[in-house]
């Protein structure tokens, strides 16, 4: 069941007009209060790639600039062997250390100390695949997200997040009120 938005109806399509003004579905309005937004990505700081930096900043600005009740950044946790490939060495023995690094980066590099403490960070298990230069989930991401928080999903590299989809009847669009996909990879360059 998809959560409601405090009685807000979704009676208009995104292209409807009323009194000469464009009307959008409330499910796509990120400025409504009490939204719960999940930004799910395929990379995490300190890896300085677009799929780690952009989603971290996106989540931070959504937390700062919208009346969202909760913003969660969901990032991959990779084990020591994959950390060696991605970072050149093993940087973190546990998730808390990497979470600290993400929050430190938000405080110092992004100059967002207010957001650094409030942002929710959740890890999922991932594996680095050198042939693709990307990290792929190795567990069911939807199983990690509480049903009551399934409001808005922003999927960074949705094709990679869903490449190895587990056998489950649930999909992002079925579970969430609003799903946004952001593609980072320039496949023509490969």
């Amino acid at each position: 069941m998809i959560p409601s938005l405090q009685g807000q109806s979704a009676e208009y399509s995104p292209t409807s007009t009323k009194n000469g003004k464009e009307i959008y579905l409330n499910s796509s309005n990120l400025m409504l209060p009490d939204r719960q937004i999940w930004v799910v990505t395929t990379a995490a700081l300190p890896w300085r790639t677009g799929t780690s930096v952009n989603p971290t900043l996106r989540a931070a600005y959504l937390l700062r600039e919208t009346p969202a009740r909760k913003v969660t950044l969901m990032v991959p946790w990779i084990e020591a062997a994959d950390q060696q490939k991605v970072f050149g060495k093993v940087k973190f023995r546990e998730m808390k250390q990497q979470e600290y690094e993400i929050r430190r980066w938000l405080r110092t590099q992004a100059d967002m100390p207010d957001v650094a403490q409030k942002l929710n960070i959740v890890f999922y298990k991932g594996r680095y695949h050198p042939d693709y230069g990307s990290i792929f989930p190795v567990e069911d991401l939807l199983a990690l997200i509480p049903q009551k928080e399934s409001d808005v999903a922003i999927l960074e590299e949705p094709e990679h997040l869903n490449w190895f989809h587990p056998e489950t009847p649930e999909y992002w669009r079925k579970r969430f009120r609003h799903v946004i996909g952001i593609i980072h990879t320039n496949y023509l360059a490969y």
Side-chain angles (χ1 to χ4, degrees):
M1 181 175 144
I2 297 173
S4 69
L5 290 176
Q6 297 181 337
Q8 299 287 326
S9 69
E11 59 188 88
Y12 301 105
S13 72
T15 56
S16 294
T17 58
K18 184 177 183 180
N19 299 329
K21 291 185 176 179
E22 230 174 32
I23 304 296
Y24 296 92
L25 286 171
N26 283 329
S27 62
S28 68
N29 185 350
L30 300 182
M31 294 308 289
L32 290 174
D34 290 331
R35 300 306 302 257
Q36 296 189 74
I37 303 170
W38 284 75
V39 179
V40 185
T41 189
T42 58
L45 292 165
W47 194 12
R48 299 291 171 98
T49 183
T51 53
S52 64
V53 174
N54 294 342
T56 301
L57 290 173
R58 189 176 334 281
Y61 277 101
L62 284 165
L63 184 57
R64 180 186 272 176
E65 303 295 331
T66 71
R69 179 182 342 153
K70 186 175 184 181
V71 176
T72 302
L73 176 65
M74 182 181 245
V75 296
W77 167 256
I78 54 176
E79 296 295 337
D82 284 339
Q83 286 185 36
Q84 185 72 38
K85 295 171 191 168
V86 172
F87 306 131
K89 63 181 180 178
V90 176
K91 293 190 76 79
F92 309 108
R93 302 247 179 254
E94 53 188 40
M95 293 174 199
K96 286 189 294 188
Q97 294 173 312
Q98 188 167 7
E99 179 180 340
Y100 175 83
E101 174 61 22
I102 294 168
R103 292 185 191 286
R104 186 204 61 75
W105 186 88
L106 279 167
R107 271 191 317 278
T108 61
Q109 301 300 305
D111 195 25
M112 300 178 88
D114 55 322
V115 172
Q117 291 311 307
K118 290 191 273 181
L119 183 65
N120 294 292
I121 300 173
V122 172
F123 288 89
Y124 66 85
K125 295 176 189 161
R127 287 295 315 265
Y128 177 72
H129 292 272
D131 291 345
Y132 299 102
S134 187
I135 297 170
F136 293 90
V138 294
E139 67 180 316
D140 183 359
L141 301 183
L142 290 171
L144 301 174
I145 300 171
Q147 183 76 36
K148 65 182 182 188
E149 294 183 21
S150 300
D151 185 11
V152 177
I154 300 173
L155 307 178
E156 310 269 349
E157 289 204 325
E159 71 283 16
H160 291 187
L161 291 169
N162 292 290
W163 206 301
F164 303 107
H165 195 278
E167 290 188 34
T168 174
E170 280 214 293
Y171 288 89
W172 295 98
R173 288 186 57 221
K174 183 177 178 184
R175 174 84 173 273
F176 282 78
R177 287 183 58 81
H178 188 62
V179 178
I180 301 164
I182 299 173
I183 300 186
H184 291 261
T185 303
N186 178 0
Y187 289 104
L188 297 176
Y190 281 83

